[in-house]
Every structure is written in structure tokens, then in C-alpha cells.
């Protein structure tokens, strides 16, 4: 059984990934959520047919509050 704090954090990550996929996939697009389990691991992949992430932004993905699109602000309720 997962520790409550880990579970809550994991649920938030999944929610963020799927929410972003929904937000940035155009009408008629496709979102795929795939899970795999191994003897000592679990993996989750969220893929969509949205606009993607520019190559120059990829190194910054895990920087807290990094925004690829500088024109977007927190006024929309998102933080990074």
C-alpha cells in the first residue's frame, strides 16, 4: 500500500499531465494514457496530438514555475 503523501503527490502529477493534455490538444485530437508494470517498477505515459514542446524548452521542463509561453500568466490559475 502506498504511503498517503506519496499517493497524493502521484495523483497530482497524473492530474497535471492529463489536464495539460486536455488543454493543449485541439478538438478532434487524441490523448493516450498508458501504464506498464514491472517486477520493481511502474511507468505512466501521457501522449497527445497537441502542439508539443519546443526543443529549446525541453531542458527547462523540471524547473519550478518555468513557462515556455511567456505570454501566459498565473491569472488562468496555472503555475508552470
Amino acid at each position: 500500500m502506498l504511503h498517503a503523501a506519496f499517493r497524493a503527490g502521484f495523483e497530482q502529477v497524473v492530474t497535471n499531465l492529463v489536464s495539460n493534455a486536455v488543454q493543449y490538444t485541439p478538438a478532434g485530437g487524441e490523448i493516450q494514457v498508458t501504464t506498464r508494470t514491472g517486477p520493481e517498477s511502474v511507468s505512466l505515459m501521457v501522449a497527445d496530438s497537441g502542439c508539443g514542446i519546443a526543443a529549446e524548452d525541453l531542458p527547462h521542463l523540471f524547473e519550478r514555475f518555468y513557462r515556455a509561453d511567456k505570454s501566459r500568466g498565473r491569472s488562468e490559475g496555472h503555475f508552470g
Side-chain angles (χ1 to χ4, degrees):
M1 187 161 178
L2 295 176
H3 186 273
F6 176 82
R7 182 176 177 160
F10 183 76
E11 288 174 358
Q12 186 65 55
V13 167
V14 173
T15 298
N16 290 350
L17 289 171
V18 173
S19 294
N20 284 344
V22 169
Q23 183 176 356
Y24 295 106
T25 299
E30 184 175 302
I31 298 171
Q32 294 180 336
V33 179
T34 307
T35 59
R36 292 188 182 145
T37 59
E40 297 182 23
S41 65
V42 174
S43 64
L44 170 87
M45 181 176 79
V46 178
D48 63 64
S49 58
C51 60
I53 300 169
E56 61 268 15
D57 293 318
L58 290 174
H60 305 284
L61 283 183
F62 295 101
E63 291 177 19
R64 191 170 187 181
F65 304 122
Y66 177 78
R67 289 185 186 280
D69 183 349
K70 306 299 184 217
S71 68
R72 294 219 266 347
R74 290 187 185 174
S75 62
E76 294 140 12
H78 305 283
F79 294 98

